[in-house]
Coordinates of all heavy atoms in Angstrom, one line a residue:
T1 N -39.8 6.4 27.2 CA -38.8 7.3 26.9 C -38.2 7.9 28.1 O -38.9 8.2 29.0 CB -39.3 8.5 26.0 OG1 -39.9 7.9 24.8 CG2 -38.2 9.4 25.6
A2 N -36.9 7.9 28.2 CA -36.2 8.4 29.4 C -36.3 9.9 29.5 O -36.2 10.6 28.5 CB -34.7 8.0 29.3
T3 N -36.5 10.4 30.7 CA -36.6 11.8 30.9 C -35.2 12.4 30.8 O -34.2 11.7 31.0 CB -37.2 12.1 32.3 OG1 -36.3 11.6 33.3 CG2 -38.6 11.4 32.5
P4 N -35.1 13.7 30.6 CA -33.8 14.4 30.6 C -33.1 14.2 31.9 O -31.9 14.0 32.0 CB -34.1 15.8 30.3 CG -35.5 15.8 29.6 CD -36.2 14.6 30.2
E5 N -33.8 14.2 33.0 CA -33.2 14.0 34.3 C -32.6 12.6 34.5 O -31.5 12.5 35.0 CB -34.3 14.2 35.4 CG -34.8 15.6 35.6 CD -35.9 15.9 34.6 OE1 -36.4 15.0 33.9 OE2 -36.2 17.1 34.5
F6 N -33.3 11.6 34.0 CA -32.8 10.2 34.0 C -31.5 10.1 33.2 O -30.5 9.5 33.6 CB -33.8 9.2 33.6 CG -33.3 7.8 33.6 CD1 -33.2 7.1 34.8 CD2 -33.0 7.2 32.4 CE1 -32.7 5.8 34.8 CE2 -32.5 5.9 32.4 CZ -32.4 5.2 33.6
Q7 N -31.5 10.7 32.0 CA -30.4 10.7 31.1 C -29.2 11.4 31.8 O -28.1 10.9 31.7 CB -30.7 11.3 29.8 CG -31.6 10.5 28.9 CD -32.0 11.2 27.6 OE1 -31.9 12.4 27.5 NE2 -32.5 10.4 26.7
T8 N -29.4 12.5 32.5 CA -28.3 13.1 33.2 C -27.8 12.3 34.3 O -26.6 12.2 34.5 CB -28.9 14.5 33.8 OG1 -29.3 15.3 32.7 CG2 -27.8 15.2 34.6
L9 N -28.7 11.6 35.0 CA -28.3 10.7 36.1 C -27.4 9.5 35.5 O -26.3 9.2 36.0 CB -29.5 10.1 36.8 CG -29.2 9.1 37.9 CD1 -28.4 9.8 39.0 CD2 -30.5 8.5 38.4
V10 N -27.8 9.0 34.4 CA -27.0 7.9 33.7 C -25.7 8.4 33.4 O -24.6 7.7 33.6 CB -27.8 7.3 32.5 CG1 -26.9 6.4 31.7 CG2 -29.0 6.6 33.0
Y11 N -25.6 9.5 32.7 CA -24.3 10.1 32.3 C -23.4 10.4 33.5 O -22.2 10.3 33.4 CB -24.5 11.3 31.4 CG -24.8 11.0 30.0 CD1 -26.1 11.1 29.6 CD2 -23.9 10.4 29.1 CE1 -26.5 10.8 28.3 CE2 -24.3 10.1 27.8 CZ -25.6 10.3 27.4 OH -25.9 10.0 26.1
T12 N -24.0 10.9 34.6 CA -23.3 11.3 35.8 C -22.7 10.0 36.5 O -21.6 10.1 37.0 CB -24.2 12.0 36.7 OG1 -24.7 13.2 36.1 CG2 -23.4 12.5 38.0
C13 N -23.5 9.0 36.5 CA -23.1 7.8 37.3 C -22.2 6.9 36.5 O -21.6 6.0 37.0 CB -24.3 7.0 37.7 SG -25.3 7.9 38.9
S14 N -22.1 7.0 35.2 CA -21.4 6.1 34.3 C -20.8 6.9 33.1 O -21.4 7.8 32.6 CB -22.3 5.0 33.8 OG -21.7 4.2 32.9
D15 N -19.6 6.5 32.7 CA -19.0 7.0 31.5 C -19.6 6.3 30.3 O -19.2 6.6 29.2 CB -17.5 7.0 31.5 CG -16.9 5.6 31.6 OD1 -17.7 4.7 31.8 OD2 -15.7 5.5 31.6
D16 N -20.4 5.3 30.5 CA -21.1 4.6 29.5 C -22.5 5.1 29.3 O -23.3 4.9 30.2 CB -21.1 3.1 29.8 CG -21.7 2.2 28.7 OD1 -22.1 2.7 27.7 OD2 -21.7 1.0 29.0
P17 N -22.8 5.7 28.1 CA -24.2 6.2 28.0 C -25.2 5.1 27.9 O -26.4 5.4 28.0 CB -24.1 7.0 26.7 CG -23.0 6.4 25.9 CD -22.0 6.0 27.0
F18 N -24.8 3.9 27.6 CA -25.7 2.7 27.6 C -25.4 1.8 28.7 O -24.5 0.9 28.5 CB -25.7 2.0 26.2 CG -25.9 3.0 25.1 CD1 -24.9 3.4 24.3 CD2 -27.2 3.4 24.8 CE1 -25.1 4.3 23.2 CE2 -27.4 4.3 23.7 CZ -26.4 4.7 23.0
P19 N -26.1 1.9 29.8 CA -25.7 1.0 31.0 C -25.8 -0.5 30.7 O -25.3 -1.3 31.5 CB -26.7 1.4 32.1 CG -27.5 2.5 31.5 CD -27.2 2.7 30.1
T20 N -26.4 -0.9 29.6 CA -26.5 -2.3 29.3 C -25.4 -2.8 28.4 O -25.3 -3.9 28.1 CB -27.9 -2.6 28.6 OG1 -28.0 -1.8 27.5 CG2 -29.0 -2.4 29.6
S21 N -24.5 -1.9 28.1 CA -23.3 -2.3 27.2 C -22.6 -3.5 27.8 O -22.1 -4.3 27.1 CB -22.4 -1.1 27.0 OG -23.1 -0.1 26.2
L22 N -22.4 -3.5 29.1 CA -21.6 -4.5 29.7 C -22.2 -5.9 29.5 O -21.5 -6.9 29.4 CB -21.4 -4.3 31.2 CG -20.4 -3.3 31.7 CD1 -20.4 -3.1 33.2 CD2 -19.0 -3.8 31.2
H23 N -23.5 -5.9 29.3 CA -24.2 -7.2 29.1 C -23.6 -7.8 27.8 O -23.3 -9.0 27.7 CB -25.7 -6.9 28.9 CG -26.5 -8.1 28.5 ND1 -26.9 -9.1 29.4 CD2 -27.1 -8.4 27.3 CE1 -27.6 -10.0 28.7 NE2 -27.7 -9.6 27.5
W24 N -23.5 -7.0 26.7 CA -23.1 -7.5 25.4 C -21.5 -7.5 25.3 O -21.0 -8.4 24.6 CB -23.6 -6.6 24.3 CG -25.1 -6.7 24.2 CD1 -26.0 -5.7 24.5 CD2 -25.9 -7.9 23.9 NE1 -27.3 -6.2 24.4 CE2 -27.3 -7.5 24.0 CE3 -25.6 -9.2 23.6 CZ2 -28.3 -8.4 23.8 CZ3 -26.6 -10.1 23.3 CH2 -28.0 -9.7 23.4
V25 N -20.9 -6.6 25.9 CA -19.4 -6.5 25.8 C -18.6 -7.4 26.7 O -17.6 -7.9 26.3 CB -19.0 -5.0 26.0 CG1 -17.5 -4.8 25.9 CG2 -19.7 -4.1 24.9
M26 N -19.1 -7.7 27.9 CA -18.3 -8.5 28.8 C -19.1 -9.8 29.3 O -18.5 -10.8 29.3 CB -18.0 -7.6 30.1 CG -17.1 -6.4 29.8 SD -15.5 -6.9 29.2 CE -14.7 -7.6 30.6
F27 N -20.4 -9.7 29.5 CA -21.1 -10.8 30.1 C -21.3 -11.9 29.1 O -20.9 -13.0 29.3 CB -22.4 -10.3 30.7 CG -23.2 -11.4 31.4 CD1 -22.8 -11.9 32.6 CD2 -24.4 -11.9 30.8 CE1 -23.5 -12.9 33.2 CE2 -25.1 -12.9 31.4 CZ -24.7 -13.4 32.7
V28 N -21.9 -11.6 27.9 CA -22.2 -12.6 26.9 C -20.9 -13.2 26.4 O -20.8 -14.4 26.2 CB -23.1 -12.0 25.8 CG1 -23.2 -13.0 24.6 CG2 -24.4 -11.6 26.3
P29 N -19.8 -12.4 26.1 CA -18.6 -13.1 25.6 C -18.0 -14.1 26.6 O -17.4 -15.1 26.2 CB -17.6 -11.9 25.4 CG -18.5 -10.8 25.1 CD -19.7 -11.0 25.9
N30 N -18.2 -13.8 27.9 CA -17.7 -14.8 28.9 C -18.5 -16.1 28.9 O -18.0 -17.2 29.1 CB -17.8 -14.2 30.3 CG -16.5 -13.4 30.6 OD1 -15.4 -14.0 30.8 ND2 -16.6 -12.1 30.6
I31 N -19.8 -16.0 28.6 CA -20.6 -17.2 28.4 C -20.2 -18.0 27.2 O -20.0 -19.2 27.2 CB -22.1 -16.9 28.4 CG1 -22.6 -16.3 29.7 CG2 -22.9 -18.1 27.9 CD1 -24.0 -15.9 29.7
L32 N -19.9 -17.2 26.2 CA -19.4 -17.9 24.9 C -18.0 -18.6 25.1 O -17.8 -19.6 24.5 CB -19.3 -16.9 23.8 CG -20.6 -16.3 23.2 CD1 -20.4 -15.1 22.3 CD2 -21.3 -17.4 22.5
T33 N -17.2 -18.0 25.9 CA -15.8 -18.6 26.0 C -15.7 -19.5 27.2 O -14.8 -20.4 27.2 CB -14.8 -17.5 26.1 OG1 -15.1 -16.6 27.3 CG2 -14.7 -16.6 24.9
L34 N -16.5 -19.4 28.2 CA -16.3 -20.2 29.4 C -17.3 -21.3 29.6 O -17.1 -22.2 30.5 CB -16.3 -19.3 30.7 CG -15.2 -18.2 30.7 CD1 -15.4 -17.3 31.9 CD2 -13.8 -18.8 30.7
C35 N -18.4 -21.3 28.9 CA -19.4 -22.3 29.0 C -19.3 -23.3 27.9 O -18.9 -23.0 26.8 CB -20.8 -21.6 29.0 SG -21.1 -20.5 30.4
D36 N -19.8 -24.5 28.3 CA -19.8 -25.6 27.2 C -21.1 -25.4 26.4 O -21.9 -24.5 26.7 CB -19.7 -27.0 27.9 CG -20.8 -27.3 28.8 OD1 -22.0 -26.8 28.7 OD2 -20.6 -28.1 29.8
A37 N -21.3 -26.2 25.4 CA -22.4 -26.1 24.5 C -23.7 -26.2 25.2 O -24.7 -25.5 24.9 CB -22.3 -27.2 23.4
E38 N -23.8 -27.1 26.1 CA -25.1 -27.3 26.9 C -25.4 -26.0 27.7 O -26.6 -25.6 27.7 CB -25.0 -28.5 27.8 CG -26.3 -28.7 28.6 CD -26.1 -29.9 29.6 OE1 -25.1 -30.7 29.5 OE2 -27.0 -30.1 30.4
Q39 N -24.4 -25.5 28.4 CA -24.7 -24.3 29.1 C -25.0 -23.1 28.2 O -25.9 -22.3 28.5 CB -23.4 -23.9 30.0 CG -23.2 -24.9 31.1 CD -21.8 -24.8 31.7 OE1 -20.8 -24.5 31.0 NE2 -21.7 -25.0 33.0
Q40 N -24.3 -23.0 27.1 CA -24.6 -21.9 26.2 C -26.0 -22.0 25.6 O -26.7 -21.0 25.5 CB -23.6 -21.9 25.0 CG -22.2 -21.5 25.4 CD -21.3 -21.5 24.2 OE1 -21.7 -21.6 23.0 NE2 -20.0 -21.5 24.4
S41 N -26.5 -23.2 25.3 CA -27.8 -23.4 24.8 C -28.9 -23.0 25.8 O -30.0 -22.6 25.4 CB -28.1 -24.8 24.3 OG -28.1 -25.7 25.4
R42 N -28.5 -23.1 27.1 CA -29.5 -22.6 28.1 C -29.4 -21.1 28.3 O -30.5 -20.5 28.4 CB -29.2 -23.4 29.4 CG -30.1 -22.9 30.6 CD -29.8 -23.7 31.8 NE -30.7 -23.1 32.8 CZ -30.7 -23.5 34.1 NH1 -29.9 -24.4 34.5 NH2 -31.6 -23.0 35.0
W43 N -28.2 -20.6 28.4 CA -28.1 -19.2 28.9 C -28.1 -18.1 27.7 O -28.7 -17.0 27.9 CB -26.8 -19.0 29.7 CG -26.9 -19.8 30.9 CD1 -26.1 -20.9 31.2 CD2 -27.7 -19.7 32.0 NE1 -26.4 -21.5 32.4 CE2 -27.4 -20.7 33.0 CE3 -28.8 -18.8 32.4 CZ2 -28.1 -20.9 34.2 CZ3 -29.4 -19.0 33.6 CH2 -29.1 -20.0 34.4
L44 N -27.6 -18.4 26.6 CA -27.5 -17.4 25.5 C -28.9 -17.0 25.0 O -29.1 -15.8 24.8 CB -26.6 -17.9 24.3 CG -25.2 -18.0 24.7 CD1 -24.4 -18.6 23.5 CD2 -24.6 -16.6 25.0
P45 N -29.9 -17.9 24.8 CA -31.2 -17.4 24.4 C -31.8 -16.4 25.4 O -32.5 -15.4 25.1 CB -32.0 -18.6 24.3 CG -31.1 -19.7 24.0 CD -29.8 -19.4 24.8
L46 N -31.6 -16.7 26.7 CA -32.1 -15.8 27.8 C -31.4 -14.4 27.6 O -32.0 -13.4 27.8 CB -31.8 -16.4 29.1 CG -32.6 -17.7 29.5 CD1 -32.1 -18.2 30.8 CD2 -34.1 -17.4 29.4
C47 N -30.1 -14.4 27.4 CA -29.4 -13.1 27.2 C -29.9 -12.4 26.0 O -30.1 -11.2 26.0 CB -27.9 -13.4 27.0 SG -27.0 -14.0 28.5
R48 N -30.0 -13.1 24.9 CA -30.5 -12.5 23.6 C -31.9 -11.9 23.7 O -32.1 -10.8 23.2 CB -30.5 -13.6 22.5 CG -31.0 -13.1 21.1 CD -31.4 -14.2 20.2 NE -32.5 -14.9 20.8 CZ -32.6 -16.2 20.8 NH1 -31.7 -17.0 20.2 NH2 -33.7 -16.8 21.4
D49 N -32.8 -12.5 24.5 CA -34.1 -12.0 24.6 C -34.3 -11.1 25.8 O -35.5 -10.8 26.2 CB -35.1 -13.2 24.7 CG -35.1 -14.1 23.4 OD1 -34.7 -13.6 22.4 OD2 -35.4 -15.3 23.5
W50 N -33.3 -10.7 26.5 CA -33.3 -9.8 27.6 C -34.1 -10.4 28.8 O -34.6 -9.7 29.6 CB -33.9 -8.4 27.2 CG -33.0 -7.7 26.3 CD1 -33.1 -7.6 25.0 CD2 -31.8 -7.0 26.7 NE1 -32.1 -6.9 24.5 CE2 -31.2 -6.5 25.5 CE3 -31.1 -6.7 27.9 CZ2 -30.1 -5.7 25.4 CZ3 -30.0 -6.0 27.8 CH2 -29.5 -5.5 26.6
K51 N -34.1 -11.7 28.9 CA -34.8 -12.4 30.0 C -33.8 -12.6 31.2 O -34.1 -12.9 32.3 CB -35.4 -13.7 29.6 CG -36.5 -13.5 28.7 CD -37.2 -14.8 28.3 CE -38.3 -14.5 27.3 NZ -38.9 -15.8 26.8
M52 N -32.5 -12.5 30.8 CA -31.4 -12.5 31.8 C -30.4 -11.4 31.4 O -29.9 -11.4 30.2 CB -30.7 -13.8 31.8 CG -29.6 -13.8 32.9 SD -28.8 -15.4 33.1 CE -27.8 -15.5 31.5
I53 N -30.2 -10.4 32.2 CA -29.3 -9.3 32.0 C -28.1 -9.5 32.9 O -28.3 -9.6 34.1 CB -30.0 -8.0 32.1 CG1 -31.2 -7.9 31.2 CG2 -29.0 -6.8 31.9 CD1 -32.1 -6.6 31.5
G54 N -27.0 -9.5 32.3 CA -25.8 -9.7 33.2 C -24.8 -8.5 33.0 O -25.0 -7.6 32.2
C55 N -23.9 -8.5 33.9 CA -22.8 -7.5 33.8 C -21.5 -8.2 34.2 O -21.5 -9.4 34.4 CB -23.1 -6.3 34.7 SG -22.8 -6.5 36.4
Y56 N -20.5 -7.5 34.3 CA -19.2 -8.0 34.6 C -18.5 -7.1 35.6 O -18.5 -5.9 35.4 CB -18.4 -8.1 33.3 CG -17.0 -8.6 33.5 CD1 -16.7 -10.0 33.4 CD2 -15.9 -7.8 33.7 CE1 -15.5 -10.5 33.5 CE2 -14.6 -8.3 33.8 CZ -14.4 -9.7 33.7 OH -13.2 -10.2 33.9
A57 N -18.0 -7.7 36.6 CA -17.3 -6.9 37.7 C -16.0 -7.6 38.0 O -16.0 -8.8 38.1 CB -18.2 -6.7 38.9
Q58 N -15.0 -6.9 38.2 CA -13.7 -7.4 38.7 C -13.1 -6.4 39.6 O -13.1 -5.2 39.4 CB -12.8 -7.6 37.4 CG -11.5 -8.3 37.8 CD -10.7 -8.7 36.5 OE1 -11.3 -8.8 35.4 NE2 -9.4 -8.8 36.6
T59 N -12.4 -7.0 40.6 CA -11.8 -6.1 41.6 C -10.5 -6.7 42.1 O -10.3 -7.9 42.0 CB -12.8 -5.8 42.8 OG1 -12.2 -4.8 43.6 CG2 -13.1 -7.0 43.6
E60 N -9.7 -5.9 42.6 CA -8.4 -6.4 43.2 C -8.1 -5.4 44.4 O -8.3 -4.2 44.3 CB -7.3 -6.3 42.2 CG -6.0 -6.9 42.8 CD -4.9 -7.1 41.7 OE1 -5.2 -7.8 40.7 OE2 -3.8 -6.7 41.9
L61 N -7.7 -6.0 45.5 CA -7.4 -5.2 46.7 C -6.5 -4.0 46.3 O -5.5 -4.1 45.7 CB -6.6 -6.1 47.7 CG -6.4 -5.6 49.0 CD1 -7.7 -5.2 49.7 CD2 -5.6 -6.6 49.9
G62 N -7.0 -2.9 46.8 CA -6.2 -1.6 46.5 C -6.5 -0.9 45.3 O -6.0 0.2 45.0
H63 N -7.3 -1.5 44.4 CA -7.6 -0.9 43.1 C -9.1 -0.8 42.8 O -9.5 -0.2 41.8 CB -7.0 -1.7 41.9 CG -5.5 -1.7 42.0 ND1 -4.7 -0.6 41.7 CD2 -4.6 -2.7 42.4 CE1 -3.5 -0.9 41.8 NE2 -3.4 -2.2 42.3
G64 N -9.9 -1.3 43.7 CA -11.4 -1.2 43.4 C -11.7 -1.9 42.1 O -11.2 -3.0 41.8
S65 N -12.5 -1.3 41.3 CA -12.9 -1.8 40.0 C -12.2 -1.2 38.8 O -12.6 -1.3 37.7 CB -14.5 -1.7 39.8 OG -14.8 -0.4 39.9
N66 N -11.1 -0.5 39.1 CA -10.3 0.1 38.0 C -9.4 -0.9 37.4 O -8.2 -1.0 37.8 CB -9.5 1.3 38.6 CG -8.8 2.0 37.5 OD1 -8.9 1.7 36.3 ND2 -8.0 3.0 37.9
I67 N -9.9 -1.7 36.5 CA -9.1 -2.8 35.9 C -7.9 -2.3 35.2 O -6.8 -3.0 35.2 CB -10.0 -3.6 34.9 CG1 -11.2 -4.2 35.7 CG2 -9.2 -4.6 34.1 CD1 -12.2 -4.9 34.8
R68 N -7.9 -1.1 34.6 CA -6.7 -0.6 33.9 C -5.6 -0.4 34.9 O -4.4 -0.3 34.4 CB -7.1 0.7 33.2 CG -8.0 0.4 32.0 CD -8.3 1.7 31.3 NE -9.2 1.4 30.2 CZ -10.0 2.3 29.6 NH1 -10.0 3.5 30.1 NH2 -10.8 2.0 28.6
A69 N -5.8 -0.2 36.2 CA -4.8 0.1 37.1 C -4.3 -1.2 37.8 O -3.5 -1.1 38.7 CB -5.3 1.1 38.2
L70 N -4.7 -2.3 37.4 CA -4.3 -3.6 38.1 C -2.8 -3.7 37.9 O -2.2 -3.4 36.8 CB -5.0 -4.8 37.5 CG -6.4 -5.0 37.8 CD1 -7.0 -6.2 37.1 CD2 -6.7 -5.0 39.3
E71 N -2.1 -4.2 38.9 CA -0.7 -4.4 38.9 C -0.4 -5.8 39.0 O -0.8 -6.5 40.0 CB 0.0 -3.6 40.0 CG -0.2 -2.1 39.9 CD 0.3 -1.3 41.0 OE1 1.0 -1.9 41.9 OE2 0.1 -0.1 41.1
T72 N 0.3 -6.4 38.1 CA 0.7 -7.8 38.2 C 2.2 -8.0 37.8 O 2.7 -7.1 37.1 CB -0.1 -8.7 37.2 OG1 0.1 -8.3 35.9 CG2 -1.6 -8.6 37.6
T73 N 2.8 -9.0 38.2 CA 4.1 -9.4 37.8 C 4.1 -10.8 37.4 O 3.3 -11.6 37.8 CB 5.2 -9.1 38.9 OG1 4.8 -9.9 40.0 CG2 5.2 -7.7 39.3
A74 N 5.1 -11.2 36.6 CA 5.3 -12.6 36.2 C 6.7 -12.9 36.6 O 7.7 -12.2 36.4 CB 5.1 -12.8 34.7
T75 N 6.8 -14.0 37.3 CA 8.1 -14.4 37.8 C 8.5 -15.8 37.3 O 7.7 -16.7 37.4 CB 8.1 -14.5 39.4 OG1 7.7 -13.2 39.9 CG2 9.5 -14.9 39.9
F76 N 9.6 -15.9 36.6 CA 10.1 -17.1 36.1 C 10.6 -18.0 37.2 O 11.5 -17.6 37.9 CB 11.1 -16.9 35.0 CG 11.7 -18.2 34.4 CD1 10.9 -18.9 33.5 CD2 12.9 -18.7 34.8 CE1 11.4 -20.1 33.0 CE2 13.4 -19.9 34.3 CZ 12.6 -20.6 33.4
L77 N 10.1 -19.2 37.3 CA 10.7 -20.2 38.2 C 11.5 -21.2 37.5 O 11.0 -22.0 36.8 CB 9.5 -20.8 39.0 CG 8.6 -19.9 39.8 CD1 7.4 -20.7 40.4 CD2 9.4 -19.2 40.9
K78 N 12.8 -21.1 37.7 CA 13.7 -22.1 37.1 C 13.3 -23.5 37.4 O 13.1 -23.8 38.6 CB 15.1 -21.8 37.4 CG 16.1 -22.6 36.6 CD 17.5 -22.1 36.9 CE 18.5 -22.8 36.0 NZ 19.8 -22.4 36.1
G79 N 13.1 -24.3 36.5 CA 12.7 -25.7 36.7 C 11.2 -25.9 36.7 O 10.7 -26.9 36.8
G80 N 10.5 -24.7 36.7 CA 9.0 -24.8 36.6 C 8.6 -25.1 35.2 O 9.3 -25.1 34.2
V81 N 7.3 -25.2 35.0 CA 6.7 -25.5 33.7 C 6.7 -24.3 32.8 O 7.3 -24.2 31.8 CB 5.3 -26.2 33.8 CG1 4.7 -26.4 32.5 CG2 5.4 -27.5 34.6
D82 N 5.9 -23.3 33.3 CA 5.8 -22.0 32.5 C 6.0 -20.8 33.3 O 5.6 -19.7 32.9 CB 4.3 -22.0 31.9 CG 4.2 -23.0 30.8 OD1 5.1 -23.2 30.0 OD2 3.1 -23.6 30.7
G83 N 6.6 -20.8 34.4 CA 6.7 -19.7 35.3 C 5.5 -19.6 36.2 O 4.6 -20.4 36.2
A84 N 5.4 -18.5 36.9 CA 4.3 -18.3 37.8 C 3.9 -16.9 37.8 O 4.7 -16.0 37.7 CB 4.7 -18.7 39.3
A85 N 2.6 -16.7 37.9 CA 2.0 -15.3 37.9 C 1.7 -14.9 39.3 O 1.3 -15.7 40.1 CB 0.8 -15.2 37.1
E86 N 2.1 -13.7 39.7 CA 1.8 -13.2 41.0 C 1.1 -11.9 40.8 O 1.4 -11.1 40.0 CB 3.1 -13.0 41.8 CG 3.9 -14.2 42.0 CD 5.2 -14.0 42.8 OE1 5.4 -12.8 43.3 OE2 6.0 -14.9 42.9
G87 N 0.1 -11.7 41.7 CA -0.6 -10.4 41.6 C -0.3 -9.5 42.8 O 0.3 -9.8 43.7

């Protein structure tokens, strides 16, 4: 059982009261969408049984890990296939 001090530390360091939420909300879905069947059969049971705990991190120069503040633009290139994304 977590002590009250530990719970306070968790709430202070994170706006997520369950620090393992990223494992289920970001990490596992990326395995499901980016891995083929063979990779999924290897990694998903480990995730399910807590033998592998993952998280998700993304950063962009000038924004740190604040994904909501990412700035991107899309520029249409005439004669291009689908345009081009610029960050």
Side-chain angles (χ1 to χ4, degrees):
T1 303
T3 65
E5 293 82 10
F6 179 75
Q7 290 176 340
T8 300
L9 178 65
V10 168
Y11 282 104
T12 302
C13 295
S14 171
D15 60 356
D16 181 0
F18 303 104
T20 57
S21 293
L22 281 176
H23 175 77
W24 296 111
V25 176
M26 298 297 289
F27 184 71
V28 172
N30 275 288
I31 291 176
L32 288 168
T33 57
L34 300 175
C35 293
D36 62 30
E38 180 182 349
Q39 293 167 324
Q40 288 180 16
S41 67
R42 177 176 179 186
W43 299 112
L44 288 174
L46 296 173
C47 292
R48 180 198 60 224
D49 297 337
W50 293 99
K51 293 180 179 177
M52 179 175 72
I53 301 171
C55 78
Y56 180 88
Q58 182 171 339
T59 187
E60 184 169 307
L61 188 61
H63 296 286
S65 59
N66 183 3
I67 295 173
R68 291 182 181 154
L70 291 179
E71 298 174 5
T72 61
T73 59
T75 305
F76 177 75
L77 299 176
K78 190 172 184 174
V81 177
D82 289 321
E86 296 180 11

